[in-house]
Amino acid sequence: MKTTKRIFCIFLALLFALLVGCKDNSLPVDRVVAETDTHRVFYSNEKCYIEFFEDLKYSGKSNLLSIEEVTAVKVQNADELCKKIVENDFTFKEKQMIYYATTDENGNLERCIFDIEKMYQPVFPENTELKHLVWHGLPYYLYVARYAESFLVYVSYYEKDYYSEVYKREITDEIAKLETSDSYTVTQLKDKNAVEYRSDINKYVIYDIEKDGKDITVKEEYHISDIYIDVVSETVPYNINIYVTEGDLCYTVCVADCYFLFDEHPTEEWLLSFGVEPYVPAGE
């Protein structure tokens, strides 16, 4: 009799731990979008979260991904990505990636994903071919395209709070580092009210644009020394990164290796021809 009671108590304890550990994420659940035996997608305070009910922790190793384990969800369009999230149609490695991107060091659900009910698609100029859509489990997704069969363009949509983190890291903190570095001289340029940060081997030109209700920051990187094996130029950037906010809409455009096609600086009109627009699901 005592053995039976002990087994029953252990069963209840395990069941309680399973229920609490899996579904009590301490976040208020305003609305459940999808739920299966292994996951749930819900909204809390107007943000979208994905929660897994299975054990996705690494066994006997650090939570940090090694180079061999780095993975990403790669699809062709927003419909496919949304469907995967709703149906939990991921490989085990993809689930682990998403799990560690959305939880803290104790495994508690901490970070939202993007709004799956309000997705965006890229707007490209002519001669641009969309390759795929990539998601790393974070509150942003990335479209990869090739322009004129010459270089890649990356258009990323961000949740507003996460965009603030990215902007601080890639613009605010970067400017502070350049301004205090002994390797760079800082020059205020008249053209576009831009600031140039120049070293012996490279330079950055950073400036702001306001157009059509959008706040835009442009960061251009140039290779200006023969130490580089690629094209060295004072006028054609190596990379151009564009940061755009329009109300709550936040996205970036990265033009990588544009010296493959241009022999002079791309026009502002061409740069701003890349953007995003609301995504309309298939059949609507």
Side-chain angles (χ1 to χ4, degrees):
M1 184 68 178
K2 289 184 179 180
T3 301
T4 302
K5 287 183 177 179
R6 186 179 299 113
I7 293 173
F8 181 71
C9 288
I10 292 173
F11 171 77
L12 288 179
L14 290 173
L15 179 61
F16 177 78
L18 179 64
L19 292 174
V20 172
C22 288
K23 297 194 177 185
D24 182 8
N25 54 57
S26 76
L27 291 173
V29 178
D30 300 329
R31 179 166 55 92
V32 175
V33 176
E35 185 167 9
T36 66
D37 293 338
T38 55
H39 93 308
R40 173 169 62 173
V41 181
F42 66 94
Y43 280 82
S44 178
N45 296 322
E46 300 183 350
K47 294 184 181 297
C48 186
Y49 294 84
I50 183 170
E51 176 187 21
F52 296 104
F53 303 149
E54 54 189 309
D55 184 8
L56 297 173
K57 294 181 180 179
Y58 289 100
S59 301
K61 59 171 67 177
S62 168
N63 289 351
L64 296 177
L65 293 169
S66 70
I67 294 177
E68 293 78 14
E69 292 168 328
V70 171
T71 186
V73 178
K74 186 183 296 185
V75 295
Q76 290 303 119
N77 55 55
D79 274 341
E80 289 186 29
L81 181 54
C82 186
K83 186 173 184 291
K84 280 182 171 289
I85 292 172
V86 168
E87 298 179 357
N88 196 19
D89 182 22
F90 301 112
T91 66
F92 188 76
K93 282 183 176 291
E94 289 172 343
K95 291 178 186 178
Q96 285 185 315
M97 173 197 66
I98 299 166
Y99 171 78
Y100 282 110
T102 55
T103 60
D104 62 18
E105 59 184 8
N106 297 315
N108 299 315
L109 193 59
E110 177 183 48
R111 193 189 286 275
C112 69
I113 58 173
F114 55 88
D115 189 343
I116 66 170
E117 296 179 340
K118 191 178 180 182
M119 297 184 68
Y120 289 84
Q121 62 187 5
V123 175
F124 293 132
E126 293 182 2
N127 301 323
T128 305
E129 179 188 4
L130 178 63
K131 292 295 185 182
H132 47 253
L133 170 60
V134 180
W135 183 46
H136 295 89
L138 291 166
Y140 88 102
Y141 46 89
L142 165 70
Y143 287 96
V144 181
R146 185 173 295 279
Y147 179 75
E149 300 183 354
S150 296
F151 55 82
L152 292 178
V153 178
Y154 306 90
V155 178
S156 303
Y157 168 80
Y158 294 84
E159 283 291 303
K160 188 173 183 180
D161 292 344
Y162 190 58
Y163 175 84
S164 297
E165 294 179 33
V166 173
Y167 188 90
K168 180 180 183 300
R169 180 172 65 250
E170 298 183 5
I171 294 295
T172 307
D173 293 350
E174 184 70 15
I175 288 176
K177 184 167 63 176
L178 291 171
E179 288 182 342
T180 57
S181 172
D182 294 334
S183 300
Y184 288 87
T185 58
V186 181
T187 304
Q188 180 74 48
L189 305 178
K190 292 182 180 180
D191 183 36
K192 298 176 183 161
N193 197 29
V195 179
E196 177 189 274
Y197 304 88
R198 174 184 290 268
S199 73
D200 293 335
I201 62 174
N202 64 358
K203 73 173 181 179
Y204 295 91
V205 177
I206 302 175
Y207 54 94
D208 295 325
I209 302 172
E210 291 185 14
K211 187 171 184 178
D212 300 328
K214 301 175 183 178
D215 294 322
I216 304 166
T217 298
V218 182
K219 180 174 72 173
E220 302 175 350
E221 179 185 358
Y222 296 78
H223 288 177
I224 58 175
S225 168
D226 290 335
I227 191 174
Y228 294 107
I229 61 175
D230 49 40
V231 173
V232 175
S233 175
E234 285 278 356
T235 57
V236 180
Y238 172 68
N239 281 333
I240 303 175
N241 288 279
I242 306 168
Y243 302 78
V244 184
T245 58
E246 183 180 5
D248 290 335
L249 175 62
C250 305
Y251 63 93
T252 63
V253 178
C254 174
V255 180
D257 305 330
C258 57
Y259 57 80
F260 279 126
L261 183 65
F262 293 101
D263 55 11
E264 60 183 13
H265 193 287
T267 65
E268 181 179 298
E269 180 182 6
W270 181 83
L271 289 175
L272 299 185
S273 65
F274 295 92
V276 299
E277 64 183 7
Y279 182 80
V280 179
E284 293 190 9

